[in-house]
């Protein structure tokens, strides 16, 4: 079990470091910055690479919402949810701390600012409100869980699931970065909110409630679709 927790810690660390790190360090560089498209791809690649690296050890959740969705779908033990969540949140927070050390090393550093955190209203990249943010987080997390369950089911060839999952997460970010800066992952949201100098912590509840609700919905929908 320790190896499984450690795998979830490492996987979530890489997800936050790779995805949020690309947003903080590389997205806005003048003339050569990777932009939102690059950030979206970075999140997808971080999940894809770690799913292959340690997914065989822990299942490759790296996300409390995914863990809950798999449990509801009967693919994971409910009794193991809490320790997985702890490993994921701690791993994500460790990555955020590492990024803060790097980010604050800029010669012109004047504070963490939003620190790639999630938000709605004034904290939304394009000013989207709470209902829009709840809706998109629920819908996209539900779809993400359906893709995970489908890609790892007996209905498809083995070995390709990380590719489908990584591409799905890329697409999710391409859709929703302007709305909430994209969560679909409470561990990612918690990690970055801890260092943000905005009201991100006061809005963190949405980025737990909506993804968890979406995960349950996705698991239920997959239960209807699954031939078993």
């Amino acid at each position: 079990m320790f190896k499984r927790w450690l795998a979830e810690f490492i996987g979530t660390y890489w997800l936050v470091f790779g995805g949020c790190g690309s947003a903080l360090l590389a997205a806005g560089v003048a003339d050569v910055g990777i932009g939102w498209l690059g950030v979206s791809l970075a999140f997808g690649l971080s999940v894809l690479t770690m799913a292959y690296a340690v997914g065989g050890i822990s299942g490759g959740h790296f996300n409390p919402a995914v863990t809950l969705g798999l449990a509801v779908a009967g693919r994971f033990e409910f009794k193991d949810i809490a320790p997985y969540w702890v490993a994921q949140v701690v791993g994500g927070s460790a990555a955020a701390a590492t990024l803060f050390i790097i980010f604050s090393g800029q010669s012109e550093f004047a504070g963490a600012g939003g620190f790639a955190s999630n938000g709605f209203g004034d904290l939304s990249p394009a000013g989207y409100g709470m209902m829009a943010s709840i809706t998109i987080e629920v819908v996209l997390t539900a779809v993400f869980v359906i893709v995970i369950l489908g890609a790892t089911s007996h209905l498809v060839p083995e070995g390709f699931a990380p590719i489908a999952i990584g591409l799905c997460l890329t697409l999710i970010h391409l859709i929703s970065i302007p709305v909430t800066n994209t969560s679909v992952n409470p561990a990612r949201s918690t990690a970055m909110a801890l260092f943000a100098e905005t009201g991100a912590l006061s809005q963190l509840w949405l980025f737990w409630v909506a993804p968890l609700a979406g995960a349950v919905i996705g698991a239920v929908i997959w239960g209807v679709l699954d031939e078993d």
Side-chain angles (χ1 to χ4, degrees), residues 68-206:
L68 178 62
L70 292 175
V72 172
R75 302 269 194 94
F76 190 74
E77 296 288 339
F78 276 95
K79 65 180 178 62
D80 293 329
I81 288 178
Y84 261 54
W85 282 9
V86 171
Q88 291 156 359
V89 171
V90 173
S93 299
T98 306
L99 286 172
F100 182 82
I101 293 170
I102 298 168
F103 190 60
S104 62
Q106 289 179 309
S107 59
E108 299 178 358
F109 177 73
F115 204 64
S117 59
N118 301 117
F120 58 88
D122 292 340
L123 301 185
S124 162
Y128 285 86
M130 182 176 69
M131 187 53 63
S133 300
I134 290 173
T135 301
I136 201 164
E137 289 289 333
V138 168
V139 169
L140 292 180
T141 309
V143 172
F144 191 40
V145 168
I146 291 170
V147 169
I148 291 170
L149 291 169
T152 55
S153 75
H154 68 285
L155 302 174
V156 297
E158 294 183 3
F160 296 98
I163 299 174
I165 295 166
L167 289 176
C168 182
L169 190 60
T170 298
L171 177 57
I172 284 170
H173 280 78
L174 287 173
I175 296 168
S176 61
I177 285 178
V179 184
T180 62
N181 214 21
T182 309
S183 173
V184 302
N185 186 335
R188 170 261 192 270
S189 297
T190 301
M192 303 310 286
L194 291 174
F195 293 87
E197 295 177 342
T198 61
L201 278 174
S202 68
Q203 296 186 357
L204 185 58
W205 64 269
L206 187 148

Side-chain angles (χ1 to χ4, degrees), residues 30-56:
D31 299 325
V32 295
I34 62 175
W36 286 354
L37 175 60
V39 172
S40 300
L41 185 59
F43 271 100
L45 288 173
S46 66
V47 168
L48 187 157
T49 51
M50 272 298 156
Y52 275 121
V54 300

Side-chain angles (χ1 to χ4, degrees), residues 1-36:
M1 182 59 74
F2 173 76
K3 290 182 179 180
R4 292 168 63 189
W5 297 342
L6 181 59
E8 285 297 301
F9 174 95
I10 294 170
T12 312
Y13 181 100
W14 185 237
L15 168 65
V16 172
F17 190 87
C20 296
S22 69
L24 286 170
L25 307 176
V29 179
D31 299 325
V32 295
I34 62 175
W36 286 354

